[in-house]
Amino acid sequence: SYELTQPRSVSVALGQTARISCGRDNIGGQYVHWYQQKSGQAPVMVIYRDNNRPSGIPERFSGSNSGDTATLTINRAQVEDEADYYCQLWNSGTVFGGGTKLTVL
Amino acid sequence: QVQLKESGPGLVKASGTLSLTCSVSGDSITGSHWWAWVRQPPGKGLEWLGEIYDSGSTNDNPSLKSRVSLFIDNSNNRFSLRLSSVTAADTATYYCARIDINWGIDSWGQGTLVTVSS
């Protein structure tokens, strides 16, 4: 089981906005990070500390974190954004969400 | 640019011990980061196994029921994982990674597939 709850799948039309949630009691009080994993590849960080983009990550990726839910938002979704996405935090050890498969239609 | 690379046997017999080493370049393993192992069974999500600090302090996943042992070799800039009493359920791609508790996982190894055979 996972301590961070994510939807198993999210679908979005090309060019529209995708939102992927990550739930846990009072998650807003902790830093949440997000990773993108494409098939056969290692994960890549796309958001750190709730709402910061690493160098090289497109501006269409953003994040928020408040209350019991953190959210990864992908504006103007592209075909290349189709991947699995994982949220993660550190609380005396690393915790991952179960992952969300994003499909771009 | 820090780089991590896993090494070890790709095939382990059931009931045996899985052993992997992660070699780190471009950064000293002594410092402000935790060094972690994460695995991913085929078609499934990421599972954190444990992490170690340069002092030797460790955190590990309680769901693995103490089968995980972590070691750090500061002199050779590498760290290691041992997973005992393996079964087919331990077949996975194993990643090593660098973790900052406030900044997340900024570096991953390429991953290595370990298959447990009966």
Side-chain angles (χ1 to χ4, degrees):
Chain A
S1 63
Y2 296 94
E3 296 181 43
L4 298 176
T5 302
Q6 296 183 235
R8 292 192 65 133
S9 63
V10 168
S11 298
V12 62
L14 181 67
Q16 297 304 302
T17 298
R19 294 180 179 85
I20 298 173
S21 62
C22 176
R24 173 179 167 134
D25 286 347
N26 197 30
I27 195 173
Q30 298 176 286
Y31 286 128
V32 174
H33 319 287
W34 291 89
Y35 305 89
Q36 175 193 69
Q37 187 182 34
K38 296 184 178 180
S39 181
Q41 298 181 20
V44 172
M45 177 185 280
V46 292
I47 292 289
Y48 66 93
R49 294 179 74 139
D50 298 337
N51 54 18
N52 296 277
R53 278 177 295 103
S55 174
I57 300 301
E59 290 185 9
R60 62 179 181 273
F61 286 86
S62 64
S64 63
N65 185 14
S66 179
D68 296 337
T69 305
T71 303
L72 173 68
T73 301
I74 307 171
N75 290 314
R76 300 179 302 281
Q78 303 299 304
V79 171
E80 60 263 33
D81 299 332
E82 194 161 281
D84 295 324
Y85 291 85
Y86 297 89
C87 57
Q88 176 256 326
L89 57 77
W90 197 92
N91 181 13
S92 299
T94 295
V95 184
F96 285 108
T100 299
K101 181 177 182 59
L102 177 69
T103 301
V104 180
L105 303 171
Chain B
Q1 178 88 6
V2 62
Q3 291 188 317
L4 295 85
K5 186 172 175 64
E6 306 88 353
S7 60
L11 190 64
V12 180
K13 287 191 174 180
S15 77
T17 297
L18 180 159
S19 296
L20 295 173
T21 295
C22 182
S23 298
V24 180
S25 59
D27 183 28
S28 172
I29 206 166
T30 58
S32 59
H33 293 95
W34 289 82
W35 301 92
W37 291 96
V38 177
R39 72 179 180 182
Q40 185 170 39
K44 297 191 177 180
L46 302 174
E47 180 181 25
W48 170 74
L49 302 181
E51 59 206 23
I52 188 166
Y53 203 67
D54 63 0
S55 63
S57 296
T58 61
N59 299 311
D60 58 71
N61 189 330
S63 71
L64 291 164
K65 296 180 171 58
S66 302
R67 293 195 294 130
V68 169
S69 299
L70 302 174
F71 306 90
I72 194 161
D73 181 351
N74 294 326
S75 299
N76 291 296
N77 224 40
R78 62 190 185 188
F79 61 105
S80 301
L81 165 75
R82 287 186 197 160
L83 181 66
S84 62
S85 304
V86 296
T87 69
D90 295 308
T91 293
T93 296
Y94 286 75
Y95 296 97
C96 57
R98 185 178 80 169
I99 297 178
D100 183 292
I101 64 174
N102 290 317
W103 298 82
I105 303 170
D106 63 353
S107 297
W108 297 76
Q110 64 188 21
T112 187
L113 175 63
V114 179
T115 301
V116 177
S117 65
S118 56

